[in-house]
Amino acid sequence: MSKEKFGAKIDQAKGGIKEAAGKITGNKGMQAEGKTEKLAGKAKEFAKDVKDTVSGAIDKVTDK
């Protein structure tokens, strides 16, 4: 797993924890912040997957 993807997974986990803590304490601001962090982590992971896919396709076309 790449550093970028690992970082994205960490962001998702931190966001999930913060979201859960917000739910438990009734803190809607913390809950929303956690959800936002989790979604940002998923977006980073998706971007890395797209980058890897495009890179692999380019490598196939250029015979690397």
Side-chain angles (χ1 to χ4, degrees):
M1 180 180 300
S2 71
K3 287 182 184 180
E4 292 170 327
K5 200 157 188 171
F6 183 74
K9 292 286 190 186
I10 294 293
D11 289 346
Q12 290 177 48
K14 287 191 313 188
I17 291 168
K18 192 178 281 188
E19 183 180 6
K23 281 182 184 177
I24 291 169
T25 62
N27 185 333
K28 298 234 183 252
M30 181 186 286
Q31 187 176 352
E33 191 176 321
K35 188 175 282 191
T36 301
E37 285 181 19
K38 191 164 61 172
L39 289 173
K42 286 182 180 184
K44 286 180 191 177
E45 182 179 9
F46 178 74
K48 176 61 177 153
D49 289 343
V50 169
K51 180 180 169 185
D52 290 346
T53 300
V54 170
S55 180
I58 290 171
D59 287 348
K60 284 183 181 180
V61 169
T62 58
D63 292 327
K64 285 189 176 180

